[in-house]
């Protein structure tokens, strides 16, 4: 392979990252991450930052790969603290590396892209995911990885497939990972997989904005930032799927466990009283969705993601929801608490 200008590759990765981050069908909010390996150093997106900001902010963190990989292979809890392996003198931002740094470190490719592609997730939440995607990914070197909590558990699950050196990983109840030797190669593979797994969404009716305005009376709720977010309420099949529970980690982190569905003639205030707390989002079947007034931008991004994903799942699909234990693992996890704190700080700056 000819010599590669890694400064140019890092610049190209930042441009690609911003493109990915600005496509809500590929990643949402602070979700997803990208990386580049250069002479033993892994440059990876910082935890809590948005890929959409890759060209305007310093969001790439340098991590020393060898000791991190050794920690994973030893199943050392230190692997969960990727900040311990940061090359401090190169880390101008002072931020922590992504919570999924171990996944990128274990992939043999120089360039790794991890996205929360809504088409992929619509397959990945199905118990028959492998059977569904197999004919679509014919000719590619791919694997389907069973669900594991992001971080070390997911890295260990991926390691089970390392013998085949897959270029494409479909992560159950999570998303998609692709790898290539150059940014251009990885980008082309991502585009190919996205096209192969594309699902035409069901079209939902428009929300009842007048009724939603009435339902906010006496509460601190507002409309979601994206009108697409209402689909979960205005499409009956999506609403029925939402009742089943949480489908992937970022839903739990930004919206809470499952979906809160309003009953009968409840308005927002009545839902809060019934729940004993104010949920981040409330689904009013046949009407639309309301977001809590202080919901961070990432929560709005995930509200739209939920609608996008559900609109691509057949009503009779064998869907696997996250278990109570899997919810607990996510909400009690220090790395996710750090990411949420960054989101809250950013929200305060905006306010």
């Amino acid at each position: 392979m000819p010599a590669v200008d890694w400064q140019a590759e890092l610049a190209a990765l930042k441009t690609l990252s911003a493109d990915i981050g600005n496509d809500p069908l590929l990643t949402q909010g602070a979700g997803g991450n990208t990386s580049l390996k250069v002479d033993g150093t892994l440059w990876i997106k910082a935890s809590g930052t948005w890929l959409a900001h890759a060209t305007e902010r310093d969001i790439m963190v340098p991590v020393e790969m060898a000791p991190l990989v050794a920690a994973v292979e030893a199943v050392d809890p230190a692997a969960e603290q990727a900040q311990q392996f940061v090359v401090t003198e190169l880390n101008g931002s002072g931020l922590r590396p992504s919570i999924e740094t171990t996944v990128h470190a274990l992939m043999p490719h120089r360039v790794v892209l991890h996205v929360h592609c809504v088409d992929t997730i619509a397959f990945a939440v199905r118990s028959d995911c492998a059977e569904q995607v197999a004919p679509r990914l014919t000719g590619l070197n791919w694997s389907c990885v069973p669900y594991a909590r992001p971080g070390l558990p997911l890295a260990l699950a991926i390691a089970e497939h390392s013998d085949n050196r897959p270029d494409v990983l479909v992560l159950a109840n999570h998303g998609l990972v692709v790898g290539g030797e150059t940014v251009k190669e990885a980008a082309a593979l991502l585009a190919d997989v996205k096209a192969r797994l594309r699902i035409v969404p069901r079209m939902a009716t428009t929300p009842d904005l007048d009724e939603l305005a009435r339902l906010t009376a006496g509460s601190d709720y507002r409309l979601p930032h994206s009108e697409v977010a209402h689909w979960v309420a205005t499409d009956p099949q999506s609403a029925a799927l939402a009742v089943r529970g949480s489908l992937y980690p970022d839903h739990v982190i930004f919206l809470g466990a499952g979906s809160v569905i309003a009953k009968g003639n409840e308005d927002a205030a009545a839902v809060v009283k019934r729940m004993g707390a104010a949920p981040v989002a409330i689904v009013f079947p046949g009407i639309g969705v309301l977001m809590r007034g202080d919901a961070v931008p990432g929560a709005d991004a995930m509200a739209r993601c939920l609608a996008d994903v559900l609109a691509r799942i057949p009503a009779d699909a064998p869907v696997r929801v996250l278990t109570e234990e899997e919810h607990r693992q996510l909400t009690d996890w220090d790395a996710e608490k750090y990411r949420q704190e960054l989101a809250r700080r950013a929200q305060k700056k905006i306010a």
Side-chain angles (χ1 to χ4, degrees), residues 28-48:
Q28 308 79 31
N33 30 76
T34 60
S35 70
L36 171 69
K37 300 179 178 77
V38 183
D39 298 329
T41 298
L42 175 72
W43 288 89
I44 186 163
K45 192 204 79 165
S47 176

Side-chain angles (χ1 to χ4, degrees), residues 70-303:
V72 174
E73 292 175 344
V75 196
D76 184 341
E80 290 272 69
Q81 304 292 327
Q83 64 269 25
Q84 296 183 27
F85 306 96
V86 168
V87 184
T88 307
E89 60 271 23
L90 299 178
N91 187 25
S93 70
L95 294 170
R96 293 187 187 184
S98 167
I99 58 179
E100 288 161 337
T101 298
T102 48
V103 170
H104 291 252
L106 286 187
M107 292 285 284
H109 311 77
R110 286 194 175 99
V111 179
V112 176
L113 312 174
H114 168 48
V115 296
H116 296 161
C117 169
V118 298
D119 294 291
T120 303
I121 295 174
F123 284 115
V125 300
R126 298 175 59 129
S127 58
D128 61 352
C129 172
E131 294 87 344
Q132 289 290 324
V133 303
R136 293 171 178 251
L137 299 182
T138 299
L140 298 180
N141 183 11
W142 68 281
S143 290
C144 190
V145 181
Y147 177 79
R149 174 176 65 73
L152 181 57
L154 178 56
L156 295 174
I158 288 174
E160 295 292 322
H161 300 264
S162 60
D163 288 347
N164 297 327
R165 294 175 61 89
D167 303 314
V168 177
L169 297 174
V170 177
L171 308 180
N173 291 93
H174 192 149
L176 173 68
V177 179
V178 303
E181 290 308 297
T182 65
V183 173
K184 184 176 180 180
E185 181 181 311
L189 181 57
L190 176 60
D192 182 28
V193 174
K194 180 185 177 185
R196 288 170 182 245
L197 297 182
R198 181 175 180 271
I199 302 171
V200 178
R202 291 185 300 276
M203 298 308 296
T205 58
T206 57
D208 187 338
L209 298 181
D210 290 338
E211 181 63 6
L212 286 172
R214 187 189 70 79
L215 293 169
T216 62
S219 73
D220 181 27
Y221 278 82
R222 58 169 173 80
L223 295 176
H225 292 163
S226 171
E227 188 167 316
V228 173
H230 294 294
W231 291 3
V232 66
T234 60
D235 171 44
Q237 294 183 52
S238 294
L241 288 165
V243 173
R244 299 192 192 183
S246 309
L247 297 176
Y248 40 86
D250 271 2
H251 176 106
V252 179
I253 299 306
F254 288 98
L255 297 178
S259 295
V260 175
I261 314 294
K263 297 180 179 180
N265 295 320
E266 284 184 325
D267 60 10
V271 172
V272 172
K273 182 177 180 180
R274 169 167 60 88
M275 299 293 296
V280 178
I282 304 174
V283 177
F284 293 88
I287 302 171
V289 171
L290 290 177
M291 302 293 295
R292 198 172 65 207
D294 65 349
V296 299
D300 274 276
M302 293 315 302

